[in-house]
Amino acid sequence: MPNTYKLTATEINATGSTTLYTTPVSTTTLVKSLYLSNLTTGSINLDIIINKSGSAINFYLIQSASIPTQTSFQPISDTLTLQSGDSLKIGNTTISSSDALLSYLEIT
């Protein structure tokens, strides 16, 4: 089973839910860390959502995490396992400018 370390970077500047990552078919993903950065001059609130493959239900890892102006937040600092088809999403309730950096290991 090959192991591949990866980094995904996404800008979040619209309201609603942004899919940061979806685990590919026949793959298990170990999320190592997630960093969220607030690039604005005001505080923002973000949700971290897990959507299990085949489910219409969103599971909140964190809801309405407040990130102060021009700072970053590391809500995932320990291993989180995602199975094939599972998604990690960032929810945003206000138009803002933030960055999300996801470090993970894919096992195929």
Side-chain angles (χ1 to χ4, degrees), residues 58-105:
N58 287 324
F59 298 94
Y60 286 82
L61 187 61
I62 295 177
Q63 189 171 24
S64 295
S66 180
I67 304 173
T69 182
Q70 300 177 343
T71 63
S72 62
F73 173 54
Q74 184 183 10
I76 298 176
S77 60
D78 202 357
T79 305
L80 175 69
T81 304
L82 299 176
Q83 299 170 326
S84 179
D86 293 351
S87 295
L88 177 65
K89 301 177 180 183
I90 306 297
N92 190 10
T93 57
T94 58
I95 295 176
S96 64
S97 181
S98 55
D99 290 338
L101 296 168
L102 179 69
S103 175
Y104 57 97
L105 172 67

Side-chain angles (χ1 to χ4, degrees), residues 7-101:
L7 175 71
T8 295
T10 302
E11 291 181 16
I12 303 166
N13 24 351
T15 59
S17 179
T18 300
T19 300
L20 184 58
Y21 176 80
T22 301
T23 304
V25 175
S26 301
T27 302
T28 298
T29 299
L30 302 179
V31 174
K32 304 304 274 177
S33 62
L34 172 65
Y35 295 90
L36 301 171
S37 298
N38 178 357
L39 307 175
T40 70
T41 57
S43 181
I44 61 172
N45 293 321
L46 297 175
D47 303 327
I48 302 166
I49 303 162
I50 302 294
N51 182 260
K52 295 292 293 169
S53 178
S55 174
I57 300 171
N58 287 324
F59 298 94
Y60 286 82
L61 187 61
I62 295 177
Q63 189 171 24
S64 295
S66 180
I67 304 173
T69 182
Q70 300 177 343
T71 63
S72 62
F73 173 54
Q74 184 183 10
I76 298 176
S77 60
D78 202 357
T79 305
L80 175 69
T81 304
L82 299 176
Q83 299 170 326
S84 179
D86 293 351
S87 295
L88 177 65
K89 301 177 180 183
I90 306 297
N92 190 10
T93 57
T94 58
I95 295 176
S96 64
S97 181
S98 55
D99 290 338
L101 296 168

